[in-house]
Amino acid sequence: MAAVPGSARPSDLLSSSTARLAAGAAGAAAAGLLYSTVIERNAFALRHATLAVLEPGSSPLRVLHISDIHMTPGQLLKQAWISELARLEPDLVVNTGDNLAHPGAVPAVVQSLGDLLSLPGLFVFGSNDYFGPTPKNPLKYFQKNHKRTHGEPLPWQDLRAAFNERGWLDATHTVRELEVAGVRVAAAGVDDPHIGRDRYETVAGRPNPLAQLRLGLTHSPEPRVLDEFAGDGYDLVMAGHTHGGQLCLPGYGALVTNCHLDRSRVKGVSNWGSTMKLHVSAGLGTSPYAPARFCCRPEATLLTLTATRNGGGDAEVDQQLPQLEHQMS
């Protein structure tokens, strides 16, 4: 049958619809890429969580958790936002590693942390404090046991010296005891389990029973390390590394955790065993070779630690503080 003059053929209509769908998909992909690499990656957020982990009768303790800064010298927006965190005046600062992403970034990290370094602080390092980032196939993140390659050595000794000079305590493979805001803290940490540097046996054993907070630190929240801390009676372990998944899907959450931790615990507060709490920071940065975040804003967390009720844990609250986000944007 001959086509009616002036009318479109079915094949032409199908081709036109396909072209429009392709163009729409390409436009959505471009918009998503722009949003994740330019907007959300720099939409720093301050979160707040309240945890009942202190011994009964203890005074509250405000702890600022910072992780995964992945700093490069030119990241001025990130540097300015971090410098504003000192206005929170926490009682204790905990840094769980991956501060560096460039061999020249130590001054930027130290200057950004600024007055926070004058407050009591504890830290452990991550793999990207020791070695620079390298390009990698993103599909490798779905393989928990994939072969890892290290980039150029980074000046972690200089960063450690700067932290120590300002008074922060390195908790790597050692037990630290300090009193902060009237709370006696026993803290222990391990080197980064993600690259097999952890030696838990160096801190194994029950912490000081007189401590009002028994705190564990690790960069990567590997379950085998968390089990060790829980078995020794720690109240809270703080970690980073996961970036909260970095790329998440609405209604599904993180695609990967980049470690053996399950996706449900990829960021924020969770229970580990019957008595220990885990807090995983989604971190403030990304690798320079994967500079994108989606449905997972970069963050720092202000934890308010309170006393348990006769040894029983209270419900935790995990929320964003939009007024502070606005002030510090």
Side-chain angles (χ1 to χ4, degrees):
M1 178 182 297
V4 178
S7 66
R9 296 179 180 179
S11 60
D12 293 337
L13 292 174
L14 179 60
S15 178
S16 176
S17 298
T18 302
R20 286 196 298 270
L21 287 173
L33 182 63
L34 177 66
Y35 171 79
S36 62
T37 58
V38 176
I39 299 176
E40 184 164 331
R41 181 170 66 94
N42 294 304
F44 304 106
L46 177 70
R47 291 188 178 274
H48 184 109
T50 300
L51 299 177
V53 294
L54 305 181
E55 287 293 308
S58 301
S59 301
L61 186 69
R62 299 169 72 247
V63 180
L64 179 65
H65 186 186
I66 298 173
S67 195
D68 297 87
I69 297 174
H70 290 283
M71 186 71 79
T72 63
Q75 293 176 325
L76 301 183
L77 182 62
K78 184 195 296 183
Q79 293 165 25
W81 192 88
I82 293 173
S83 69
E84 292 294 312
L85 291 173
R87 293 196 290 118
L88 299 171
E89 299 182 345
D91 302 311
L92 176 67
V93 183
V94 171
N95 181 314
T96 50
D98 272 12
N99 297 275
L100 305 176
H102 187 281
V106 170
V109 171
V110 174
Q111 291 168 16
S112 299
L113 292 172
D115 291 340
L116 289 175
L117 291 168
S118 300
L119 301 174
L122 294 161
F123 68 92
V124 292
F125 282 156
S127 60
N128 285 136
D129 291 304
Y130 301 116
F131 305 103
T134 58
K136 63 178 64 176
N137 183 347
L139 295 178
K140 284 189 174 182
Y141 287 105
F142 291 90
Q143 305 171 12
K144 293 184 178 180
N145 295 311
H146 67 268
K147 183 179 180 180
R148 297 177 177 89
T149 57
H150 298 315
E152 62 181 323
L154 295 178
W156 63 270
Q157 297 98 330
D158 295 342
L159 186 63
R160 182 180 186 272
F163 284 177
N164 287 339
E165 183 179 344
R166 296 292 296 274
W168 280 13
L169 302 176
D170 187 353
T172 306
H173 295 157
T174 188
V175 177
R176 299 286 192 175
E177 296 196 14
L178 62 160
E179 185 170 316
V180 183
V183 175
R184 182 178 295 183
V185 180
V190 295
D191 211 341
D192 191 2
H194 185 62
I195 52 175
R197 293 176 68 109
D198 56 303
R199 301 291 182 268
Y200 188 84
E201 64 273 13
T202 61
V203 296
R206 299 190 70 82
N208 189 343
L210 299 179
Q212 295 160 285
L213 171 65
R214 293 161 286 270
L215 177 64
L217 276 64
T218 178
H219 176 65
S220 178
E222 291 294 344
R224 58 183 171 79
V225 174
L226 301 178
D227 287 343
E228 297 275 15
F229 277 120
D232 280 343
Y234 281 80
D235 305 305
L236 170 66
V237 169
M238 300 173 71
H241 176 71
T242 65
H243 295 191
Q246 191 167 322
L247 301 177
C248 302
L249 296 179
Y252 182 79
L255 300 176
V256 295
T257 65
N258 197 25
C259 62
H260 289 85
L261 191 71
D262 58 280
R263 291 190 309 105
S264 67
R265 307 171 197 264
V266 71
K267 68 177 178 179
V269 178
S270 62
N271 296 314
W272 194 270
S274 59
T275 59
M276 193 176 83
K277 298 288 187 183
L278 170 66
H279 183 261
V280 179
S281 171
L284 284 164
T286 67
S287 166
Y289 298 105
R293 281 182 177 258
F294 190 77
C295 293
C296 185
R297 293 173 64 178
E299 65 180 40
T301 306
L302 186 64
L303 298 167
T304 300
L305 308 184
T306 61
T308 60
R309 297 174 182 172
N310 298 320
D314 297 333
E316 64 272 0
V317 177
D318 188 4
Q319 62 184 11
Q320 288 188 6
L321 300 183
Q323 70 277 16
L324 288 178
E325 293 170 25
H326 177 72
Q327 292 170 7
M328 296 193 296
S329 61

